Amino acid sequence: MKITAYEVRPDERNTLERLCTEKGIELVMTAANLDMTTVELAEGADGVTTLGQSTFSNEVYDKLKEMGVKVVAARCVGYDRMNREYAEAQGFKLCHGSYGPNGVAEFTIMTILMAIRKMKRAMANTDDKDFTLKGKQGRQLGSLTVGVYGTGRIGYHVIKLLKGFGCRIICNDVYENPVVKEIAEYVPFDTLLAESDVITLHAPLLPSTEGVINKETIAKMKDGVILVNNARGGLMNIDDVIEALENEKFGVLAMDAYPGEEGIIHMTHDEDIVTNFAGEKKSWLKLQYVRSFVNVIHTPHMAFFTREAAEEMCAAGVDGIYEILTTGSSRHELPQD
Ligand code: COI
């Protein structure tokens, strides 16, 4: 059996090597994304594994099929970019990662606390030897209402952690999870928007959730609301979010995910000149504008990035392919929609 692993970070190399050696799998690794310029690295492979920035175009799948690849296993949880319909119609089996929700949930709690305690300003000011309390008065989480949008594994874990702070927790999801109901109150989406001091997003990016944060939904939120997006950039209509930032609607916008971040995040741009790029670099310019607001906290899609999760992601990539090729199915296959 042979696997080609794309988007391999330095910290993943040893784990992938060990996992493949244990199973007698031949492994080819590259840091490059899977796309039409790199697809031939999968020549002779039975399966390929990627993270979240590869190009899953029809053309790429056609080429993979021609070369005999049968399984595509993303090591990340989100599979919104995998072009599922086309891939499955071509007979591919698709898998995704399934690491524990703790890392992202803990990161979310940290972000919420940073937002309500004005940490961005405090750190910037003290770095600049300004030790005043100006603009630094915060709020206590226990006296706030937190709205959790999306109550799957991560949303549920966030709710469990929030419980300890004594805040009111309201939530919304198309599927009402009975375990969540025991510790939080499901409310209609409009109620969540209107009553939350902090809104944290944990929904997958689907046609039904794309742009769910937009002009209309933002208008229903409290003035000074804290919006946390550690899920997917596409949940936000970025132009509407920018307008709201300009109108001082948000207390804080904290985002670990940004729409159009592929090709931007997880690499350095320290020598790039910010200019009025058109086309694919447009999102780069907008991101610089969004980042320039004093009340925006932006991190480079790192909520997932813990040693524990990285190990589980590599295991899911390798096991997904191995299980399908040896037994016909896998625990890591995409869920039924
Ligand atoms: C995921 O696992 O879905 C993530 O968001 C992390 C990934 C893009 C590396």
Side-chain angles (χ1 to χ4, degrees):
M1 188 182 303
K2 180 174 167 185
I3 292 179
T4 299
Y6 288 91
E7 300 186 62
V8 177
R9 296 186 312 264
D11 65 277
E12 293 182 304
R13 293 189 77 88
N14 286 346
T15 314
L16 285 168
E17 240 157 31
R18 173 172 48 76
L19 292 166
C20 286
T21 307
E22 278 166 14
K23 292 187 161 60
I25 300 170
E26 185 188 341
L27 174 67
V28 172
M29 288 188 279
T30 174
N33 293 348
L34 166 66
D35 59 28
M36 276 314 278
T37 66
T38 59
V39 67
E40 291 195 352
L41 289 170
E43 186 69 63
D46 304 284
V48 301
T49 171
T50 65
L51 282 169
Q53 300 199 51
S54 287
T55 301
F56 299 95
S57 62
N58 295 359
E59 228 186 340
V60 166
Y61 278 118
D62 291 345
K63 187 70 189 165
L64 288 174
K65 188 172 175 180
E66 187 189 310
M67 294 190 306
V69 173
K70 295 160 210 73
V71 188
V72 178
R75 302 192 290 290
C76 53
V77 172
Y79 53 88
D80 43 281
R81 292 174 46 78
M82 286 185 88
N83 189 6
R84 177 178 193 169
E85 207 179 324
Y86 188 79
E88 289 182 343
Q90 298 312 306
F92 284 97
K93 291 272 195 183
L94 302 182
C95 295
H96 70 137
S98 60
Y99 49 93
N102 315 47
V104 179
E106 288 170 16
F107 190 93
T108 299
I109 301 298
M110 176 190 74
T111 320
I112 294 174
L113 290 171
M114 284 181 74
I116 64 174
R117 298 308 300 267
K118 311 281 169 72
M119 203 48 127
K120 178 174 175 180
R121 178 183 281 254
M123 290 173 82
N125 285 178
T126 48
D127 279 353
D128 205 25
K129 298 186 278 303
D130 168 358
F131 307 120
T132 65
L133 292 176
K134 189 168 151 269
K136 300 188 185 79
Q137 187 175 53
R139 296 295 307 272
Q140 290 170 198
L141 194 42
S143 62
L144 302 180
T145 297
V146 182
V148 179
Y149 176 65
T151 56
R153 292 172 76 223
I154 295 174
Y156 174 46
H157 206 83
V158 167
I159 290 170
K160 281 200 289 187
L161 297 179
L162 282 172
K163 216 52 201 157
F165 290 90
C167 46
R168 176 178 174 229
I169 309 167
I170 54 180
C171 54
N172 178 269
D173 198 315
V174 280
Y175 169 71
E176 296 198 358
N177 183 343
V179 204
V180 173
K181 268 189 181 163
E182 287 170 20
I183 54 171
E185 181 193 351
Y186 277 100
V187 295
F189 187 46
D190 277 1
T191 308
L192 182 143
L193 294 172
E195 295 188 7
S196 301
D197 300 296
V198 177
I199 297 176
T200 181
L201 309 179
H202 299 290
L205 181 59
L206 301 167
S208 57
T209 59
E210 188 169 359
V212 70
I213 302 301
N214 56 47
K215 210 181 184 66
E216 286 75 44
T217 53
I218 292 170
K220 291 176 184 162
M221 296 177 192
K222 286 186 180 180
D223 290 340
V225 64
I226 287 165
L227 178 65
V228 177
N229 184 359
N230 291 336
R232 281 292 180 270
L235 296 174
M236 306 183 290
N237 175 317
I238 198 63
D239 292 324
D240 293 352
V241 165
I242 289 174
E243 195 180 308
L245 282 166
E246 290 167 339
N247 294 334
E248 299 182 26
K249 176 74 182 181
F250 299 121
V252 174
L253 167 66
M255 45 173 211
D256 189 50
Y258 181 80
E261 67 184 9
E262 297 78 20
I264 295 176
I265 47 123
H266 300 173
M267 57 189 79
T268 180
H269 296 275
D270 57 357
E271 293 187 349
D272 285 11
I273 294 185
V274 179
T275 179
N276 196 8
F277 291 113
E280 60 177 22
K281 288 239 175 162
K282 220 165 142 211
S283 47
W284 166 227
L285 180 66
K286 268 191 200 170
L287 175 61
Q288 295 316 306
Y289 181 53
V290 173
R291 288 181 50 85
S292 72
F293 288 83
V294 68
N295 58 338
V296 169
I297 299 175
H298 173 236
T299 45
H301 206 137
M302 58 179 279
F304 78 98
F305 194 38
T306 61
R307 190 192 300 175
E308 293 84 348
E311 169 89 24
E312 289 177 272
M313 291 165 93
C314 290
V318 173
D319 292 349
I321 297 169
Y322 184 81
E323 287 167 7
I324 286 181
L325 293 171
T326 52
T327 70
S329 66
S330 167
R331 320 162 266 154
H332 301 295
E333 277 178 75
L334 302 194
Q336 297 304 319
D337 272 342

